[in-house]
Amino acid sequence: MVMAIRMALAAIFALVATIAVAQQDYRIRSGDVLSIEVLEDSGLNRSVTVLPDGRFSFPLAGTLSAGGRTIGQVQASIADAIGSNFTSPPNVFVGVQPREPDPIDPNALLGPTIDIYMLGEVAAPGLKQVTPGTTFLQALSQAGGLSRFAAQKRIQLRRTDPQTRQQQVVVINYKAITNGAVLTPDFALQEGDVILVPERRLFE
C-alpha cells in the first residue's frame, strides 16, 4: 500500500514537473488562473485567479505576489509561506492557465479618422472615413475613381471654416493631372471636406 502511494506520488510529481518545465519561462499576469497542488496536503489543492494587482490568496500563506513572476518563483514563495506548517519543506507545484486575450476592437486598429464626403460622379459617393493626412488624390482613389460622366476639369474641393462658417472652393483639373501636370499642393484633407465631382456637359 505504501509502495503504491509512493508510485502514485512519483507519477503526479513527474506529470506536474513536465508541465512546469514547459511553462517555466512564462511570466504570470493578472487574470491568469493558477492550479496549485501541495503533495503533503491535498486539502490545500485549488485553483486561484491572479487579481488585477497581481496578487492571489492561498490558505496558510495569506496574500502572495504573482504578477510578473515565473511559475518557479511562485512555487518557491508558496512553499516558503506554508513551510512552518509541515515537519519538512512541502512540495508545491503550480500550473498556469493564461487568461483569454482581450477581444480586438477592429476600429482601434484603424487609428484616428476624419470624415469627408464624396459627391457626384465618383464610383462610390458618400461619407468616407480616412486617416489624417490623406490627400485629395488618395481620397479620390478610395472612392473608386471617377465615373465616365465626370467633368474631369472642374472637380471641386469645398472646405468650410469651422469658426466663421465661410466656405472655400478650390477647382481642380483632374484631366491635366492625368496628362502629367503636378497638383501643387496635393491637398491634405480636413474634417468635413467635400469633394464634388460635377457631371460633364455636352461636348465637354
Side-chain angles (χ1 to χ4, degrees):
M1 181 69 176
V2 174
M3 182 61 70
I5 293 176
R6 288 179 178 174
M7 291 178 64
L9 290 177
I12 294 173
F13 176 85
L15 176 61
V16 176
T18 299
I19 296 173
V21 168
Q23 299 182 333
Q24 62 184 348
D25 293 329
Y26 179 77
R27 296 285 175 173
I28 295 169
R29 303 176 300 164
S30 62
D32 288 352
V33 177
L34 306 180
S35 298
I36 305 171
E37 294 186 12
V38 181
L39 292 185
E40 289 74 13
D41 186 352
S42 61
L44 296 175
N45 297 351
R46 66 199 60 223
S47 294
V48 298
T49 300
V50 180
L51 300 175
D53 63 1
R55 299 189 295 173
F56 68 97
S57 297
F58 191 74
L60 305 181
T63 301
L64 301 175
S65 178
R69 308 181 75 187
T70 65
I71 291 173
Q73 290 172 327
V74 173
Q75 288 178 167
S77 179
I78 296 173
D80 182 64
I82 67 175
S84 61
N85 297 279
F86 298 86
T87 56
S88 59
N91 293 288
V92 178
F93 301 99
V94 176
V96 60
Q97 178 182 345
R99 70 181 184 191
E100 292 294 326
D102 296 331
I104 298 175
D105 180 0
N107 292 324
L109 298 177
L110 299 176
T113 60
I114 59 174
D115 292 342
I116 65 167
Y117 302 86
M118 309 288 292
L119 301 177
E121 297 300 324
V122 292
L127 168 66
K128 305 295 178 186
Q129 292 185 317
V130 300
T131 56
T134 297
T135 66
F136 166 79
L137 291 177
Q138 290 170 340
L140 202 59
S141 174
Q142 292 184 38
L146 305 179
S147 78
R148 63 191 183 94
F149 301 108
Q152 297 186 20
K153 296 182 179 180
R154 43 191 185 90
I155 298 174
Q156 300 173 24
L157 171 61
R158 293 178 171 266
R159 177 171 296 167
T160 301
D161 187 307
Q163 302 299 325
T164 65
R165 306 308 300 171
Q166 291 184 341
Q167 191 175 81
Q168 176 187 7
V169 180
V170 177
V171 178
I172 299 170
N173 187 338
Y174 182 77
K175 182 71 172 180
I177 295 173
T178 61
N179 289 332
V182 177
L183 179 58
T184 306
D186 184 2
F187 301 94
L189 300 179
Q190 298 180 9
E191 177 78 25
D193 278 357
V194 177
I195 296 175
L196 173 61
V197 182
E199 183 179 359
R200 61 184 169 87
R201 304 188 186 100
L202 188 63
F203 304 119
E204 184 177 8

